Amino acid sequence: MGQRRRSAVKAPSSPSVSAAGEVARVPHKKHKICMVSDFFYPNMGGVESHIYQLSQCLIEKGHKVVIATHAYGRRKGVRYLTNGLKVYYLPLQVMYNQSTSTTVFHSLPLLRCVFVREGITVVHAHSSFSAMAHDALFHAKTMGLNTVFTDHSLFGFADVSSVLTNKLLTVSLCDTNHIVCVSYTSKENTVLRAALNPEIVSVIPNAVDPTDFTPDPSQRQDDTITIVVISRLVYRKGTDLLGGIIPELCLKHPDLHFLIGGEGPKRIVLEEVREKYQLHDRVRLLGALEHKDVRGVLVQGHIFLNTSLTEAFCMAIVEGASCGLQVVSTRVGGIPEVLPDDLITLCEPTVRSLCAGLETVIAKQRSGSVPSPASIHAKVRNLYTWRNVAERTEKVYDRVAGEEVLPLDRRLQRLRTHCGPVAGSIFALFAVMDFLFVLLLQWLVPDRFMDMAVDATGPQGLWRQEKSRKDSAIN
Amino acid sequence: MEDETYTDINGKAISLDCQSHSGLCREFTVSSAKVSIGKVMVYTCSVWLFAYAVFFFTQNTAVLSCAILITLVGMMFHIHFVKVDHESLLVIGSLGIQVSSSYASGRETTTFIEMSRIKDIVINEAIYMHQIIYYLCVLLKDPSEPNAVSSVVPLFQNSKPRLNCLVKVYKSCQEILSKC
C-alpha cells in the first residue's frame, strides 16, 4: 500500500516539466480532491454551501472528493453525506468565530492521515479566514501535494489586523499552485494583498441553484410595495444605511413595506428606527432565517435591496433576481460584475443615492413598466450554475496536476525572496520544522501501516456502483 | 488462509485463528505478541537506575524499597489489567455473540450479547489518538424500537487489527448472521 501511495504522489511531480503539456492533453484525468476549510455544515453560510455544491458536482463528474473540517460540538469523526461525500470532522480546538487556532503543527498528524489514507492528489483549501485551510496548504506542500486555494472575501489594506492577515496570506499563497477568486474585483484584491503573479489566479464565480429560487407573484400583496432585505445585520452589510433609508422612504410612500430577514448586532439600529417613527406595522424584522425559508420571504417582495459596504461576490442579489425581484444595490466590490445592467439598479453607498435609486424603481413598479418576474427568472437561471463552476474548477485541477510541487530548498528560497527577510525567514524555519515533523511521523506511523480508505466516490467509488446495481435490480 | 499475515495498526504482527465449530458457530481469536522480556528489563532498569540516583543524593534506603515495590506492583498491574494476549469473538447463529479477552495473567473477561439485541456487525471508521482507523463493531438495538441503533460495542479493542483482518472476520460473521 505504501508503494502504491508513493508512486501516486511522485507521478504528477517528477515528470512534470516535460509532461506538463501531456497532462493538459488528457482532460479527463480523474483527481482525488480534499477540500479543507473550517467552515462546513452544520455551520451555515456562503462558503459552506459553496464547498458542498462544488463537491457534489465534482462527484457527479467522477472525481473523488473528501472534505476535512473541524469538529462541531458532538459532531466529530467520519460522516457520509449525499452521494458518498465523505466528511472528516477532526477534533481540533476552535479558537474564535468557528476558526481553529494556528499553531501550524498540531493539525499535521490528522491531516497527514487523511491525505495518505485517501490517496489525495489535490488539496483545495477555502476561505482566508480559516486557519485550518492555511495549515492544510502548508502541510500539503511539505508532503508534496498540489494545492489550490479559493478566496471568498475582500480585505482592506489600511488597519493593523488586515496588514497582519495580508502578510499571512502572502506567506501562505506564495508557493500555492493556483488560486481561485469569486469575482474580478476579488482577484485584483487578492493579487495585491498577497503579491501574487496574476497568471496563477483564476476567477470562478459562485452559483445559485435556480430551481430553489423560482418566482411566485401570487404571494405578493398588490396594494402595497414591499422591499425585501436579507442579510446579516452587521456593519459590513450596511445596516446603518438601511436605518437611514427606512424613515425617509416610509414618510414619502405610505404604501411601502419593509421585510427584513437576518440577525446580528446591528438589529438594535433597526429596532430604534422602528420605535422612533412608529413603523411597527410596516417594518417587519424576521430574525435569523434558515436557507430553506429564504425563498418564501423573497417571493413576498417587489424590490430586493442590498446595502453591503464590501462584498466579493453577492449571492443574495442573484437569489433575489432569480425570484423575479427588482434589485437595488450599492456599487461596491464585485457587485457590478454580478448581474447585467437591465436587472440591477446600482447606487453609491450613501443614504441619498440609495433613496434616489429606490424611488426610480418604485416609480417604475407603480407604472407597471418593469419586466415580469418570470422573464427575469428566465434571464438569471442560466447565468450561474454549479455545473459550470465545477467544470471550470476541474480545468484548474487539470492544470495544477501537471505542475510540480516545489522541493524544500526551492520552497525556502521562494519564501525568503517573496515574503521579506523577517517573515520569510521565520516561515522558512517553520517549513523546515514541518518537514522534520513529517519525517518523524513517517517514522512513527509509516505510510505502509495506514489502511487505504475504501473509496466511496471517484473512479472506483463503491457508492455509485451500488446505486447502479440497485437501479439495474429495479429494472 | 494461514499464509496471509496480519498486523495491528502499529505494524506489530498479530495472528488470527478462525475455528468453525459448525455451520452456524464460528470462533475468531486474535492473538498479539506476548510481553517481551526485553521491554520488562528496560522498564525495570530505568526505574531502578532512577531510584539509585535519588538514593545517591538523599542516602535514604526507603527510596530503594519503594522502587522495588513500584516495579512489582506495576508489572502485576500491567499483566492483570492492561496487557491482553487473546481476544476472541464467538458467533453463534440464532443465539448471540460472545466477546472475551484474556489478559497476560490469565484473567478473562467475557460478555455475551443475545441475538435479539444485535442489529448488525459493521466495520466503521474512527479517529483514534492521532490516527484514523477502521474497527469492527456490533450495533445494538432496543427490542422496543428495532430500526434505531441504541449503542455500539467495538470489538478487538486491544489488539486493533488492520482492515484486511477485519474484512475477513466481517465476511464470515455476515455469513452466519444472514443465515438466521
Side-chain angles (χ1 to χ4, degrees):
Chain A
M1 273 168 192
Q3 298 305 319
R4 206 199 316 162
R5 153 98 196 131
R6 226 161 284 151
S7 60
V9 175
K10 275 191 182 152
S13 58
S14 54
S16 56
V17 184
S18 59
E22 221 167 272
V23 174
R25 253 179 274 143
V26 190
H28 295 298
K29 189 174 176 293
K30 298 298 176 207
H31 304 282
K32 294 180 172 180
I33 304 142
C34 182
M35 306 266 181
V36 189
S37 180
D38 270 322
F39 310 110
F40 194 64
Y41 297 134
N43 204 30
M44 295 305 284
V47 182
E48 289 82 348
S49 69
H50 176 100
I51 296 173
Y52 176 76
Q53 300 278 7
L54 178 61
S55 307
Q56 287 295 354
C57 288
L58 287 170
I59 287 172
E60 199 176 73
K61 285 181 164 292
H63 300 285
K64 172 177 173 177
V65 186
V66 297
I67 294 173
T69 182
H70 66 80
Y72 282 89
R74 287 195 58 233
R75 186 182 294 247
K76 42 191 145 182
V78 184
R79 302 242 176 168
Y80 287 91
L81 303 183
T82 317
N83 291 332
L85 176 60
K86 192 173 188 180
V87 187
Y88 287 95
Y89 289 96
L90 305 177
L92 302 170
Q93 193 57 47
V94 174
M95 274 277 275
Y96 171 71
N97 240 340
Q98 288 302 345
S99 181
T100 49
S101 56
T102 31
T103 53
V104 185
F105 301 113
H106 79 301
S107 57
L108 178 59
L110 280 173
L111 282 173
R112 169 176 170 259
C113 202
V114 172
F115 295 161
V116 170
R117 74 201 300 275
E118 298 285 350
I120 296 299
T121 54
V122 178
V123 174
H124 190 166
H126 289 265
S127 178
S128 41
F129 288 114
S130 161
M132 195 174 160
H134 291 300
D135 280 9
L137 286 180
F138 199 69
H139 303 322
K141 285 175 260 183
T142 314
M143 290 173 64
L145 304 176
N146 292 102
T147 44
V148 179
F149 177 79
T150 298
D151 200 353
H152 290 264
S153 37
L154 294 177
F155 265 97
F157 298 90
D159 52 307
V160 179
S161 76
S162 37
V163 168
L164 288 174
T165 328
N166 292 348
K167 193 75 203 175
L168 263 177
L169 201 72
T170 315
V171 172
S172 183
L173 298 189
C174 81
D175 43 7
T176 301
N177 292 102
H178 209 92
I179 290 104
V180 176
C181 292
V182 290
S183 64
Y184 286 97
T185 315
S186 166
K187 172 175 174 175
E188 190 185 318
N189 185 269
T190 307
V191 166
L192 290 174
R193 274 154 63 204
L196 290 167
N197 172 11
E199 278 173 16
I200 62 161
V201 185
S202 300
V203 175
I204 302 176
N206 270 325
V208 292
D209 194 347
T211 53
D212 278 355
F213 293 95
T214 48
D216 184 4
S218 64
Q219 296 282 324
R220 294 180 175 180
Q221 283 176 319
D222 286 331
D223 50 341
T224 61
I225 289 179
T226 309
I227 296 179
V228 180
V229 180
I230 293 181
S231 76
R232 281 175 292 124
L233 303 179
V234 293
Y235 171 75
R236 277 163 60 97
K237 300 286 180 188
T239 310
D240 302 276
L241 287 177
L242 188 59
I245 295 164
I246 290 174
E248 197 161 315
L249 283 178
C250 280
L251 230 59
K252 278 190 199 162
H253 303 278
D255 60 345
L256 197 65
H257 287 242
F258 279 89
L259 205 54
I260 299 165
E263 195 54 70
K266 290 277 183 184
R267 186 189 169 117
I268 189 85
V269 174
L270 300 179
E271 277 175 355
E272 273 171 7
V273 167
R274 196 164 67 159
E275 207 68 43
K276 191 171 167 191
Y277 295 93
Q278 296 293 315
L279 295 168
H280 290 83
D281 52 335
R282 293 170 61 189
V283 177
R284 275 167 62 201
L285 296 174
L286 301 171
L289 288 178
E290 282 195 38
H291 194 253
K292 65 175 166 50
D293 302 330
V294 169
R295 190 229 164 205
V297 176
L298 280 174
V299 292
Q300 292 175 36
H302 299 85
I303 299 167
F304 184 84
L305 175 64
N306 172 53
T307 53
S308 290
L309 301 178
T310 165
E311 197 78 70
F313 178 95
C314 193
M315 297 277 280
I317 59 172
V318 184
E319 290 169 359
S322 183
C323 282
L325 276 72
Q326 295 292 312
V327 177
V328 178
S329 176
T330 46
R331 187 185 281 115
V332 293
I335 290 179
E337 307 166 23
V338 175
L339 286 173
D341 289 341
D342 54 335
L343 295 180
I344 188 168
T345 310
L346 289 168
C347 312
E348 295 309 315
T350 59
V351 172
R352 191 189 294 163
S353 171
L354 277 166
C355 280
L358 280 168
E359 294 260 16
T360 54
V361 178
I362 291 169
K364 261 198 237 170
Q365 187 78 37
R366 280 193 211 284
S367 65
S369 63
V370 291
S372 74
S375 67
I376 300 176
H377 176 73
K379 273 187 201 162
V380 175
R381 66 176 298 158
N382 294 324
L383 284 180
Y384 299 104
T385 59
W386 285 112
R387 289 218 168 78
N388 176 273
V389 172
E391 224 165 83
R392 291 160 81 171
T393 313
E394 199 180 21
K395 280 180 194 145
V396 170
Y397 294 150
D398 284 338
R399 181 179 155 173
V400 161
E403 284 172 15
E404 77 172 323
V405 181
L406 291 180
L408 187 64
D409 54 332
R410 286 181 40 213
R411 191 175 164 206
L412 296 185
Q413 205 181 352
R414 171 74 74 92
L415 276 169
R416 298 196 48 185
T417 50
H418 268 68
C419 310
V422 180
S425 302
I426 292 172
F427 279 92
L429 184 70
F430 276 177
V432 172
M433 278 159 68
D434 207 45
F435 181 72
L436 292 176
F437 195 15
V438 167
L439 285 185
L440 175 75
L441 285 170
Q442 272 170 352
W443 178 71
L444 283 175
V445 190
D447 287 358
R448 63 174 192 282
F449 291 151
M450 250 184 243
D451 283 319
M452 293 304 280
V454 178
D455 286 4
T457 54
Q460 272 96 47
L462 293 173
W463 201 284
R464 179 166 298 194
Q465 284 168 19
E466 235 163 65
K467 216 167 112 195
S468 56
R469 211 178 298 151
K470 260 184 222 159
D471 290 346
S472 61
I474 290 164
N475 296 334
Chain B
M1 67 191 185
E2 306 308 330
D3 51 2
E4 214 175 333
T5 54
Y6 300 110
T7 57
D8 68 356
I9 52 163
N10 296 317
K12 295 198 187 85
I14 53 171
S15 66
L16 172 70
D17 178 36
C18 303
Q19 280 186 339
S20 193
H21 297 296
S22 75
L24 283 176
C25 176
R26 273 182 208 170
E27 186 171 12
F28 309 94
T29 311
V30 175
S31 325
S32 38
K34 299 251 187 250
V35 187
S36 73
I37 196 82
K39 219 171 157 190
V40 174
M41 294 287 276
V42 166
Y43 278 108
T44 318
C45 286
S46 50
V47 171
W48 285 11
L49 281 176
F50 178 73
Y52 271 116
V54 175
F55 171 71
F56 185 79
F57 290 108
T58 60
Q59 298 292 326
N60 188 350
T61 47
V63 176
L64 291 179
S65 7
C66 239
I68 294 171
L69 219 65
I70 285 173
T71 33
L72 281 179
V73 171
M75 231 183 306
M76 263 147 78
F77 183 83
H78 184 78
I79 61 169
H80 207 66
F81 294 105
V82 182
K83 174 71 186 150
V84 173
D85 272 355
H86 311 284
E87 275 183 292
S88 72
L89 170 73
L90 180 66
V91 185
I92 309 166
S94 77
L95 198 62
I97 292 175
Q98 178 174 289
V99 185
S100 63
S101 45
S102 64
Y103 290 83
S105 64
R107 190 172 75 96
E108 276 201 39
T109 55
T110 307
T111 43
F112 181 78
I113 308 163
E114 55 183 323
M115 204 46 104
S116 62
R117 290 188 60 214
I118 295 169
K119 189 174 165 65
D120 205 352
I121 294 183
V122 295
I123 296 176
N124 206 355
E125 280 174 296
I127 296 170
Y128 170 77
M129 306 298 271
H130 276 292
Q131 286 184 63
I132 300 161
I133 60 168
Y134 281 106
Y135 68 100
L136 196 66
C137 63
V138 182
L139 304 181
L140 300 184
K141 66 183 174 194
D142 227 334
S144 54
E145 34 181 336
N147 287 323
V149 176
S150 65
S151 69
V152 170
V153 179
L155 303 173
F156 305 125
Q157 270 193 88
N158 291 285
S159 37
K160 296 190 197 66
R162 280 183 59 179
L163 187 59
N164 54 355
C165 177
L166 295 178
V167 167
K168 195 171 150 53
V169 177
Y170 169 79
K171 279 188 176 152
S172 25
C173 282
Q174 286 299 333
E175 264 173 39
I176 297 176
L177 288 181
S178 61
K179 272 183 208 161
C180 51

